[in-house]
Amino acid sequence: MLILNGIIHTMDGEVIDSGFVQVKGTRIEEVGHMSQLPAGAELDQVIDARGGHVLPGMLDIHCHLGLYGAGVGVEGDDLNEATDPCTPQLQALDGVNPMDPDFREARQAGVTCVLTGPGSTNPISGQSVLLKTTGRVADQMVVRAPAGMKFALGENPKSTYRKQGSGPMTRMATAALIRGNLTRAMDYHLKWERAQASQEEDEPEFDSKLDALRPVMAGKLSAHFHAHRADDMVTAVRLAREFGLECVLVHGTEGHLIPDFLAKEGIPVITGPILTHRSKPELANLTMENTAILARAGVQVAICTDHPEIPIQHLPLCAALAARAGMDEEEALAAITINAACIAGVGDRLGSLTQGKDADIVVMDGHPFDWRSRVKHVLIDGQEVTEA
């Protein structure tokens, strides 16, 4: 397949004012200026993107797509397992419903990959999964599983367990509960490591919770910390440094108050949702300028919808609002493409129009941040999603 004559946002180089993308099978074969189009290039399937924009498939790397559907009451709500404050053994893959119509709306909007996972009522919520947005069997949609371990600080776990009286009721207790579980997980992990390296030491008795945390302790799985307030963000960094965790901050609403600290620590931040109101006290300092301020300070940022907080099809609108609030347009686009892919650990496969990467491609009839622009074509793994 050839996509011709479009304005190409490669996301790993300069914007090409009139270029092509060649697809072979499930991969991107070549990208370049129209003057570089190889003689005799396959022309059996052609998309003429003249006057339009071509970009990588967009990624929303913090949402709850497929875990919170259109059901009534408990029928579609598989988001928060509030029976136990710490549930690292839960796998989002076991709760995702690929038939949720929101998957269709995601890919129609050009969102081709999502990191979806448990909610934030639990200090340790469980394992997220990175999925393509097309398919009927969740296992066949997986890009990476698990894709992150969800932790939560701030008001959500406090408010949940204050009502139940069976968990943390203060920020101190939430952090202490996480610290205690990580301490046990580190001990468990080291015992496994010693047992595997030695014939003489016995393996520890299997514990599903601690075993789920082993990749986190080994630095192979990122810890995604839900944190809105600046002090909660600092607590997440403190915990990460204590245990040597690969840390990602989610929401980061007050990140604009401590941008230099976050930049110095090298902590990525997934900002959002921004298209919302101050629905709870820890959003008091919500500002559209947050993402731009963090980016200017040198923080690696992505933008999320936190679907269903903001419907996932509005991901490009969220990036457009960040640009309107002072973020460079290409940086804002990077926040829902290449930056998002890198933070999710799949920058080698997704997020840019680069030779050898997955052919997840969006063709729009105008700039992706123009509210009048429409998605004309969506390719996922080189196959056009016809309903888009």
Side-chain angles (χ1 to χ4, degrees), residues 183-263:
T183 299
R184 288 189 290 274
M186 180 60 79
D187 182 61
Y188 180 86
H189 172 64
L190 292 175
K191 286 180 179 177
W192 269 102
E193 292 288 295
R194 288 194 297 267
Q196 291 172 351
S198 169
Q199 298 290 333
E200 299 178 2
E201 188 161 346
D202 293 335
E203 295 175 349
E205 184 178 351
F206 179 78
D207 184 304
S208 62
K209 289 185 176 184
L210 300 180
D211 201 68
L213 287 168
R214 281 192 65 205
V216 182
M217 311 316 296
K220 297 178 180 179
L221 186 65
S222 294
H224 286 223
F225 277 89
H226 165 109
H228 285 282
R229 273 182 15 186
D231 57 326
D232 291 327
M233 298 168 74
V234 173
T235 296
V237 174
R238 183 183 310 118
L239 289 166
R241 295 296 176 250
E242 282 182 38
F243 293 95
L245 310 182
E246 290 294 323
C247 177
V248 176
L249 292 174
V250 180
H251 306 308
T253 302
E254 290 188 354
H256 60 95
L257 300 179
I258 52 169
D260 294 339
F261 170 80
L262 296 173

Side-chain angles (χ1 to χ4, degrees), residues 11-12 37 42 56 102 133 170 173 212 220 222 253 346 368-369:
M11 304 317 303
D12 64 354
L37 184 66
E42 293 289 336
D102 291 339
T133 55
T170 65
K220 297 178 180 179
S222 294
T253 302
V346 290
F369 294 165

Side-chain angles (χ1 to χ4, degrees), residues 112-151:
T112 59
C113 189
V114 296
L115 194 152
T116 187
S120 51
T121 63
N122 303 48
I124 308 179
S125 307
Q127 303 163 48
S128 300
V129 60
L130 192 69
L131 300 167
K132 297 289 181 81
T133 55
T134 186
R136 294 179 177 273
V137 178
D139 304 69
Q140 297 170 359
M141 300 159 66
V142 169
V143 176
R144 188 179 180 204
M149 180 66 71
K150 175 71 177 293
F151 295 79

Side-chain angles (χ1 to χ4, degrees), residues 6 25 27-28 35 37 68 71 79 88 113 116 127 152 184 202 208 223 273 277 308 317-318 326 345 348 372 375:
R27 304 288 180 180
I28 295 171
S35 63
L37 184 66
Y68 194 87
L79 193 56
C113 189
T116 187
Q127 303 163 48
R184 288 189 290 274
D202 293 335
S208 62
H277 67 109
L317 175 58
C318 294
D348 59 333
R372 297 165 297 183
V375 172

